Amino acid sequence: MSIDQTIEKRHSIIRSFFPGTGRSYDTVVHVFSLGLDLYWKRAIYKHVPSSKRILDLACGTGIVTLGLAKRHPEAELVGVDITDDYLTIYQKRIQKNRIRAQFILGNAEDVKLDGMFDAVVSSYIPKYVDPDVLLKNISPHICSGGVIVLHDFTLPPNFLVRSIWTAYNLVMNFIGIRLFSEWKEVFDSGLTRLIRETRWFETFPEALARHGFTNIQKKYLTLGSAGIIRAVKK
Ligand SMILES: C[S@@+](CC[C@H](N)C(=O)[O-])C[C@H]1O[C@@H](n2cnc3c(N)ncnc32)[C@H](O)[C@@H]1O
């Protein structure tokens, strides 16, 4: 597959998963992660030092932005997302909670950013992007000593856990498609397939090193069903 075909395949996955699903996103991610999403997001927050400006990539409905705003009330937050109905909910959330945040509709891989950030975080973007393309666009906007924190699903490396994970995915897809018809493409094994195929947990550390990051740490969460990578800009 050529690079162009790979990019188009990823974009068609994003277009099939997200437009029209923003309203039920918070419920779906909470219920089908069995509440673990909250725990994983807390793991992200722990890696974010005191910051003046924080970028939330693939900010979605603003769950992470809100969590960061509570912990860093002085910080200016910027959210970027490619799906406009998610940003409509994001806007309502930041207004309701009086959060000092701006948002940009765009692709994290080529969005035009202004200024510098002390921290860049993202929950669930790694599997949708090319690490080098993303980092080429984002890393010039991270201050020296600033951090990047990336979190996403991973395929559990342990055989026994992977078998349980596979069974859980079958149940989740069976129930999900019936309860949330707007998520058809996701529960029609789309997400399960993507998690099986993605190599983000292996490829991001190498790409971070190529793009001027150091202290690259990666850690599996919850028996390897998710992972977090954190690195510091030189
Ligand atoms: C599973 S949601 C996660 C939202 C939020 N980060 C959270 O954890 O609640 C994934 C989000 O990533 C966005 N997204 C996927 N690929 C993107 C890209 N290349 N650039 C910007 N946003 C992207 C989608 O539009 C969607 O809102």
Side-chain angles (χ1 to χ4, degrees):
M1 202 184 274
S2 71
I3 292 175
D4 285 351
Q5 284 171 321
T6 310
I7 291 171
E8 181 41 37
K9 187 182 168 199
R10 275 204 320 269
H11 287 185
S12 80
I13 289 173
I14 296 166
R15 284 195 302 269
S16 70
F17 279 10
F18 296 111
T21 57
R23 276 160 56 108
S24 49
Y25 173 74
D26 290 14
T27 308
V28 165
V29 74
H30 184 66
V31 170
F32 290 102
S33 74
L34 306 175
L36 287 168
D37 180 65
L38 286 176
Y39 161 74
W40 294 335
K41 285 182 172 38
R42 272 190 227 120
I44 297 176
Y45 306 144
K46 278 189 199 150
H47 285 291
V48 179
S50 170
S51 302
K52 289 198 189 99
R53 263 190 117 212
I54 308 175
L55 177 62
D56 180 4
L57 287 178
C59 58
T61 59
I63 301 174
V64 172
T65 296
L66 178 60
L68 290 168
K70 284 182 180 159
R71 289 163 177 83
H72 303 272
E74 304 303 322
E76 180 194 337
L77 288 136
V78 179
V80 171
D81 203 283
I82 203 167
T83 310
D84 58 2
D85 63 289
Y86 278 64
L87 284 182
T88 304
I89 297 167
Y90 184 94
Q91 182 177 20
K92 285 186 189 143
R93 179 170 254 145
I94 61 173
Q95 279 169 353
K96 186 175 162 208
N97 292 282
R98 297 170 194 267
I99 297 171
R100 204 156 67 93
Q102 304 161 27
F103 54 93
I104 306 170
L105 177 64
N107 182 347
E109 290 173 304
D110 60 14
V111 67
K112 193 178 166 327
L113 296 167
D114 286 325
M116 302 298 285
F117 295 90
D118 306 293
V120 174
V121 304
S122 189
S123 188
Y124 302 120
I125 208 178
K127 64 184 173 306
Y128 297 113
V129 292
D130 178 291
D132 282 304
V133 176
L134 180 82
L135 294 171
K136 187 171 174 226
N137 193 35
I138 301 301
S139 59
H141 294 276
I142 306 181
C143 307
S144 174
V147 298
I148 185 164
V149 187
L150 301 164
H151 152 258
D152 210 330
F153 295 114
T154 51
L155 185 64
N158 176 282
F159 174 76
L160 182 61
V161 178
R162 195 158 64 236
S163 307
I164 297 167
W165 179 91
T166 301
Y168 174 67
N169 271 252
L170 284 171
V171 174
M172 173 184 86
N173 290 334
F174 181 84
I175 297 172
I177 212 162
R178 283 160 178 81
L179 291 185
F180 297 94
S181 56
E182 69 277 28
W183 287 87
K184 180 178 178 313
E185 302 293 335
V186 169
F187 291 124
D188 199 11
S189 297
L191 180 61
T192 309
R193 203 176 310 119
L194 189 57
I195 298 169
R196 284 190 180 281
E197 287 173 2
T198 182
R199 305 273 303 140
W200 78 271
F201 207 49
E202 290 75 35
T203 52
F204 257 103
E206 297 158 11
L208 284 161
R210 281 196 292 277
H211 288 269
F213 290 85
T214 184
N215 291 345
I216 302 162
Q217 297 168 9
K218 67 176 199 174
K219 191 181 169 201
Y220 277 119
L221 303 168
T222 319
L223 303 172
S225 59
I228 192 163
I229 295 179
R230 176 252 192 205
V232 178
K233 181 81 184 291
K234 279 186 204 155

